[in-house]
Each structure stands twice: as C-alpha cells, then as structure tokens.
C-alpha cells in the first residue's frame, strides 16, 4: 500500500483528532515523508503529547501555526517550504476548530465572531497562504485526476453544520458552532469548484461524534476509530468526490 501522500500538514494537531491523525500517519506501513504537525504553541504545556510523539518519528516536524493569525500562517508556510525544498505540499488537513454551546439567549457578538474566525475564516486563510505549495505539488506529481497523493485540501467539518439535516437543535442549539461550520462547508464547495482545474481536490469530512475534549466522553466513537475511518476515506478520494461532504465511513451527507 502506497503512502497517502508524500507530505501532509495537519492543523490543531496537539490534541484529539489532529493528534491522532499525526499518530496514525506516522505509524502507517508507508508513512508520508513529511508530516507537518501544527498548533498554536507546540513548545507549551498543551504541546507535550505532540512533542513526545515527534521524538519517536523523524517524519514529524512541529510547526507553530495559529490559524487566525496571518503572520503566524505565513511563518508556517516558510517553515514548511524550507523542509520541502523544491517539492510542493500534497495534503492540507484543516482540523483546527473550536466548539460553542451558546443558545439563542446566551450567545453574544464577540463569541459568534471568535468562533467564525477559527472555524470558517481560519481554514480559507490557511488554504490561501499554502496554495502556492499545493499548486507546486499538483503540477509536479506527473499525475492526472484528483487525489490526496497529488494535491488536496480536507476540511474537518461536522454534520451539525448541515442545513439539510439540522440535527437536534432543541437538544444542542450551539448557534455559533453550527453556523460557522455551515459557512466552512460553503468554503469547501467554492474551493472545490475553483481549484479543480488546478489539480487540487477539496472535500469536507465529518469525523463522527468522537470522545475528545470537544466531543466529551458521551460520544460513541473513539478517536482511534474515527481517524482510522477518515484516513481510509481520504485514500479513496478522487475527482468524483471533490466538493463532497462525507462522513468517516465515506457516506455522503446533505449540505
């Protein structure tokens, strides 16, 4: 089995799904040559598990990246470029995100704007700044069609952002989180349409309800199960699934 991609970058990789993505990628039989594990403070207390993982795998490179800070994103691009040298970046996984349980009565303007900045603006800003490296990968692979091994942007989404499903609003209103993820889904659709002819795949993935800090212990899925499924789905993506909204088992979800 060939590597999912020669180079992969994961945002928000210090915990939860992001950390497990880095762990499983590094431990795979054919790991990527470069795994760029990014988070806001890789040298701080919250980066401890990530640092310990990186010490075991030379393919993991720790990179500081705050998805709502443009100078930080541009600094990350430079750091990644220095490792890749004349190669491009094959796979960008926009995983960083924040939750909010605000109701219609409890939410305030600043919380709404902050959640939107991280969940909707962050992914598009990161993709924009890394686009030259994604383009370089798309052109340099000598491959036709779309795939994660050529060039791809994967946005980790949630079915709570599905307008078609509009699941469990009374049980979990979560207005800022739902609205920001619905906006992120539109970003995915737009990028898929715009970047298709450049050889770059774009897909939204719902990881399931997972036992993480965000998902809580009530969730039915372990992070290991979710990520195993996500990586299997990513390996099978093609031009037919660019612009799709899929879950961790590969099932299509309504927008």
């Amino acid at each position: 089995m060939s590597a999912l991609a020669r180079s992969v970058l994961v945002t928000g990789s210090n915990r939860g799904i992001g950390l497990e993505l880095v762990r499983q990628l590094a431990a795979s039989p054919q790991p990527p040559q470069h795994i760029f594990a990014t988070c806001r403070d890789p040298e701080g207390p919250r980066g401890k598990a990530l640092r310990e993982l990186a010490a075991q795998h030379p393919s993991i490179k720790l990179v500081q990246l705050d998805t709502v800070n443009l100078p930080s994103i541009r600094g990350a691009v430079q750091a990644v470029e220095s490792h890749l040298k004349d190669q491009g970046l094959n796979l960008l996984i926009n995983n960083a995100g924040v939750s909010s349980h605000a109701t219609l009565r409890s939410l305030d303007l600043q919380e709404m704007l902050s959640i939107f900045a991280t969940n909707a603006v962050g992914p598009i800003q990161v993709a924009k700044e890394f686009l030259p490296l994604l383009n370089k990968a798309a052109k340099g692979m000598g491959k036709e069609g779309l795939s994660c091994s050529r060039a791809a942007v994967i946005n980790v989404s949630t079915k709570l952002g599905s307008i078609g499903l509009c699941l469990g609003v009374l049980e979990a209103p979560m207005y800022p989180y739902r609205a920001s993820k619905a906006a992120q889904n539109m970003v995915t659709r737009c990028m898929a349409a715009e970047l298709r002819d450049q050889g770059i795949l774009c897909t939204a993935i719902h990881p399931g309800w997972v036992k993480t800090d965000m998902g809580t212990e009530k969730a039915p899925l372990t992070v290991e199960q979710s990520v195993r499924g996500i990586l299997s789905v990513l390996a099978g993506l093609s031009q037919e699934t660019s612009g799709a909204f899929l879950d961790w088992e590969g099932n299509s979800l309504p927008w």
Side-chain angles (χ1 to χ4, degrees), residues 203-234:
T203 299
I205 298 286
H206 163 59
W209 185 14
V210 185
K211 293 182 191 292
T212 61
D213 290 348
M214 190 182 293
T216 76
E217 282 299 312
K218 295 179 183 177
L221 266 183
T222 67
V223 69
E224 293 84 5
Q225 291 169 324
S226 170
V227 168
R228 198 177 307 121
I230 290 170
L231 292 177
S232 177
V233 171
L234 296 192

Side-chain angles (χ1 to χ4, degrees), residues 187-198 200 202 242-243:
V187 165
T188 303
R189 287 283 291 184
C190 290
M191 286 200 302
E194 181 173 350
L195 300 180
R196 175 183 293 267
D197 290 344
Q198 298 175 43
I200 301 172
C202 301
S242 188

Side-chain angles (χ1 to χ4, degrees), residues 125-139:
Q125 191 69 58
V126 170
K128 175 188 171 185
E129 296 300 323
F130 277 95
L131 188 56
L133 287 177
L134 290 161
N135 272 320
K136 185 182 282 190
K139 292 173 183 173

